[in-house]
Amino acid sequence: MSERLPVAVDAMGGDNAPTVIVAGAKLAVEKFGVGVVLVGDPDRLGETGSLPVLPASEVVEMGAEPASSVRRLKDSSIVRAAEAVRDGAASSLLSAGNTGAAMAASLLRMGRIKGVARPAIAVPFPVPGSTPTTVLDCGANADCQPEWLVQFAVLGSVYARERFGLAEPRVGILTIGEEAGKGNALVRTACELLENGDWVDRCGARYLGNVEGRDLMIGTADVVVTDGFTGNVVLKSLEGGFAVFERTVREALTSTPAVAATADVVEPVLDPVFETFDPALTGAAMLLGTRGVALISHGSSSPMAIAHAISTADQLVDIGIVERLRQSMTPSS
Amino acid sequence: MSERLPVAVDAMGGDNAPTVIVAGAKLAVEKFGVGVVLVGDPDRLGETGSLPVLPASEVVEMGAEPASSVRRLKDSSIVRAAEAVRDGAASSLLSAGNTGAAMAASLLRMGRIKGVARPAIAVPFPVPGSTPTTVLDCGANADCQPEWLVQFAVLGSVYARERFGLAEPRVGILTIGEEAGKGNALVRTACELLENGDWVDRCGARYLGNVEGRDLMIGTADVVVTDGFTGNVVLKSLEGGFAVFERTVREALTSTPAVAATADVVEPVLDPVFETFDPALTGAAMLLGTRGVALISHGSSSPMAIAHAISTADQLVDIGIVERLRQSMTPSS
């Protein structure tokens, strides 16, 4: 068992909460030896075994308006989880619930790292056979200032280095052409700022310039910065596209008796491919820029995906990710 | 053979031009009975058989800056093709070359339909087992005014109705949440404009409100409007994502002798699935809003994909798409 504080797990958040979340928390303890505290309504959690429970009587539902819900539902599981991190009762939090609420609760209860204009959601996009590409912002800030994209580049580089062990993360900006000067007004200004090398020194990154949508899953860059509107639309488009692709492939593979008969041989090699692209398995998103680790898992996560995310939260605490991010925001003397 | 004017085919544009383009043009004549005029350098076209050639000595290369190239290269194949449409020597144009150049040449030589603020690129996104979803703008206008998105809704609705035979196209706006008021500043203002029903009457559409990235390939809407930056990033992301997915699946299916032995049975059912998502096969994009039909094919199009695109151009002329679009821009009395 880890010596560290437990991970506060929002037991009420997720498409199949609390059942799947509680099961995932148990797995995290058993398989990875990570300490966990469940946050939720004790009367609704079912059998929690030996796991400690931090009581919270309210729930921010999946479709609820985030900011007002977090302000109103002061005894909700996500708010109590964020407070546990703030108060030193937990090392970090994990939620598979309402993403906006997890973001708002973390921001309001933990506060921002000094110098961070706006925290951003960093999502690892799968690159088959290689390190994921960290894309941010994937939805925290629909409208961005160009300066924020430079901060995202710094925060994302620190994150990619610490989480994925990259010595010199390669950073690109998402746009619609290869040549300099291509893009919308935001990107053109952000490009000018990114090309001035000061931020690169602060986080040990290398700036690649423009990347396009087709670069996101082939490892062209380790970190890709974009505004939260574009990032979220791309994330959802790819998740939706892969779901359609997987369903269509699976249907084709049962479409005739002859091909259905190959299932025993074909499925064992295809299932891992589908898992590679499953957003519930590719790794939790992290809100970068708050004074505490806040991880956000896909609403449809399985118990094993939740367990992995809890373990990731614990590892990020272990490597001192918040302190590393904080250092990158302090201008070197 | 069609009674209509020939389709002007930019023989010099495309990753494998002119060979693949000329082959596609021949197929269009043989298989679909569509008249074609090749536009390009006669010395470089190779064997053109009985196809007429409109000489053009210059080429706008794939990576060239579009607007300045079109202004400078007055005898380029794409400029001559657009002039052929303008001058009544061709019914329409097809290019698999530099998209920006095809757009600029069409806009500058054909001009805009009266009332159209900015033409937009409309791309059919595949929906397995159903009518494609037409997404626009996929790259003509990186920065958009909210009013333009309303025009895109009208142009896209007319296009979806005429091309895909939809009686009442369902229109959504691409954003990052289901609730009204979600999105960036552009989307929030455009939503307010779209909710006022005047435009709906002009094109016989039905307005659905917000759609998300995950809706693009499941047929939630028939037409999805977005700015050209977001649209292009999403298009390229999905193209890139599917290429990665297909490659990973194909590699898995040859990874052991046992699974490789199933190829005779598995490949014939999977190949059509991959074709469903192949951007070179899912249908050419149309520039909506110019006074002439301009179709843009993927640079990697096969001869058969080029032939299909030529046939589509011919059909769009046959149904009088430009006149239909023009009528939708004229306020009804």
Side-chain angles (χ1 to χ4, degrees):
Chain A
M1 185 64 66
S2 160
E3 295 291 311
R4 290 185 288 282
L5 289 167
V7 178
V9 175
D10 172 11
M12 313 306 286
D15 298 344
N16 303 299
T19 318
V20 163
I21 310 299
V22 173
K26 287 179 181 171
L27 270 177
V29 176
E30 289 160 21
K31 298 258 183 197
F32 306 121
V34 178
V36 167
V37 55
L38 293 170
V39 188
D41 185 344
D43 293 339
R44 293 171 59 187
L45 292 184
E47 181 50 64
T48 56
S50 61
L51 294 182
V53 175
L54 178 65
S57 63
E58 297 173 309
V59 178
V60 178
E61 301 295 343
M62 291 300 267
E65 202 286 312
S68 64
S69 301
V70 163
R71 273 191 294 267
R72 200 176 69 249
L73 303 171
K74 291 187 175 16
D75 196 36
S76 61
S77 55
I78 185 62
V79 169
R80 292 299 186 206
E83 287 175 353
V85 178
R86 178 195 65 189
D87 298 340
S91 71
S92 52
L93 79 79
L94 170 77
S95 177
N98 184 314
T99 298
M103 215 165 63
S106 301
L107 191 53
L108 291 171
R109 292 302 191 271
M110 301 178 189
R112 277 176 290 145
I113 291 171
K114 190 177 173 187
V116 170
R118 291 290 188 288
I121 295 176
V123 174
F125 279 42
V127 178
S130 187
T131 308
T133 292
T134 299
V135 180
L136 73 166
D137 177 13
C138 281
N141 310 283
D143 289 292
C144 285
Q145 299 294 323
E147 295 78 12
W148 303 354
L149 267 62
V150 180
Q151 284 203 342
F152 298 167
V154 174
L155 296 169
S157 296
V158 171
Y159 180 71
R161 191 177 66 225
E162 301 296 331
R163 178 160 178 191
F164 300 116
L166 302 168
E168 187 186 44
R170 300 159 301 144
V171 179
I173 182 168
L174 186 59
T175 186
I176 60 172
E178 293 170 13
E179 315 95 82
K182 299 290 274 187
N184 58 14
L186 170 67
V187 166
R188 287 194 302 274
T189 310
C191 277
E192 286 180 24
L193 299 175
L194 284 164
E195 278 157 17
N196 297 321
D198 165 54
W199 68 274
V200 171
D201 303 330
R202 268 161 53 208
C203 59
R206 182 152 59 90
Y207 181 54
L208 300 179
N210 294 359
V211 300
E212 294 189 79
R214 64 182 177 213
D215 294 309
L216 292 177
M217 296 180 57
I218 57 173
T220 303
D222 301 309
V223 177
V224 172
V225 295
T226 186
D227 66 274
F229 181 85
T230 306
N232 191 270
V233 168
V234 167
L235 177 68
K236 297 279 179 64
S237 297
L238 282 170
E239 287 183 4
F242 288 126
V244 169
F245 199 111
E246 177 178 346
R247 195 185 66 233
T248 315
V249 167
R250 287 195 188 276
E251 283 171 6
L253 290 174
T254 55
S255 59
T256 68
V259 75
T262 68
D264 287 353
V265 178
V266 169
E267 283 185 3
V269 306
L270 283 192
D271 287 346
V273 171
F274 295 139
E275 286 176 9
T276 304
F277 297 102
D278 184 342
L281 296 175
T282 49
M286 181 172 169
L287 183 63
L288 296 184
T290 49
R291 292 195 296 172
V293 170
L295 284 198
I296 301 165
S297 275
H298 205 271
S300 67
S301 295
S302 66
M304 186 50 81
I306 293 292
H308 275 289
I310 292 170
S311 172
T312 300
D314 184 64
Q315 288 164 26
L316 288 166
V317 170
D318 188 37
I319 60 182
I321 187 72
V322 172
E323 176 59 18
R324 300 266 174 249
L325 292 166
R326 195 189 64 71
Q327 289 165 353
S328 75
M329 286 293 116
T330 309
S332 49
S333 56
Chain B
M1 184 64 66
S2 161
E3 295 293 310
R4 290 185 289 281
L5 290 166
V7 178
V9 175
D10 172 11
M12 313 306 286
D15 298 344
N16 302 298
T19 317
V20 163
I21 311 300
V22 173
K26 287 179 181 170
L27 270 177
V29 176
E30 290 161 20
K31 299 256 182 198
F32 306 120
V34 178
V36 167
V37 55
L38 293 169
V39 188
D41 184 345
D43 293 340
R44 293 171 60 187
L45 292 184
E47 179 50 65
T48 55
S50 62
L51 294 181
V53 175
L54 178 64
S57 64
E58 297 172 310
V59 178
V60 178
E61 301 295 343
M62 291 298 266
E65 202 288 309
S68 63
S69 300
V70 163
R71 272 191 295 268
R72 199 176 70 249
L73 303 171
K74 291 186 175 17
D75 196 36
S76 60
S77 54
I78 184 63
V79 169
R80 292 299 187 207
E83 287 175 352
V85 179
R86 178 195 66 189
D87 299 341
S91 70
S92 53
L93 78 79
L94 170 77
S95 178
N98 185 316
T99 298
M103 215 165 62
S106 301
L107 191 53
L108 292 171
R109 291 303 191 271
M110 301 178 189
R112 276 176 291 144
I113 292 172
K114 190 177 173 188
V116 171
R118 293 289 188 291
I121 295 177
V123 174
F125 279 42
V127 178
S130 186
T131 308
T133 291
T134 298
V135 180
L136 73 166
D137 176 13
C138 282
N141 311 282
D143 289 293
C144 284
Q145 299 295 323
E147 295 78 13
W148 303 354
L149 266 63
V150 180
Q151 283 204 342
F152 299 166
V154 174
L155 296 169
S157 297
V158 171
Y159 181 71
R161 190 177 66 224
E162 300 297 331
R163 179 160 177 193
F164 300 116
L166 301 169
E168 186 186 45
R170 299 160 303 144
V171 180
I173 182 167
L174 185 59
T175 184
I176 61 172
E178 292 171 14
E179 315 93 82
K182 299 290 275 187
N184 58 14
L186 170 68
V187 166
R188 286 194 303 272
T189 310
C191 277
E192 286 180 24
L193 299 174
L194 284 164
E195 278 158 16
N196 296 322
D198 166 53
W199 68 274
V200 171
D201 303 330
R202 267 158 57 205
C203 60
R206 182 152 60 90
Y207 181 54
L208 301 180
N210 294 359
V211 300
E212 295 189 78
R214 63 182 176 212
D215 295 308
L216 292 176
M217 296 179 58
I218 57 173
T220 304
D222 301 308
V223 176
V224 172
V225 295
T226 186
D227 65 275
F229 181 85
T230 306
N232 191 270
V233 168
V234 167
L235 177 68
K236 298 278 179 66
S237 296
L238 281 171
E239 287 183 6
F242 287 126
V244 169
F245 199 111
E246 177 177 347
R247 196 185 66 233
T248 315
V249 167
R250 287 195 188 277
E251 283 171 5
L253 290 174
T254 54
S255 58
T256 67
V259 75
T262 68
D264 286 353
V265 178
V266 168
E267 283 184 5
V269 306
L270 283 192
D271 286 347
V273 172
F274 295 139
E275 286 176 10
T276 304
F277 298 101
D278 184 342
L281 295 176
T282 49
M286 181 171 170
L287 184 63
L288 295 185
T290 49
R291 292 195 296 174
V293 170
L295 285 199
I296 302 167
S297 276
H298 205 271
S300 66
S301 294
S302 65
M304 187 49 81
I306 293 292
H308 275 289
I310 292 169
S311 172
T312 300
D314 185 64
Q315 289 165 25
L316 288 166
V317 171
D318 188 37
I319 60 183
I321 186 72
V322 173
E323 177 59 17
R324 300 268 175 246
L325 293 167
R326 195 189 64 71
Q327 288 165 352
S328 74
M329 286 292 116
T330 308
S332 49
S333 55

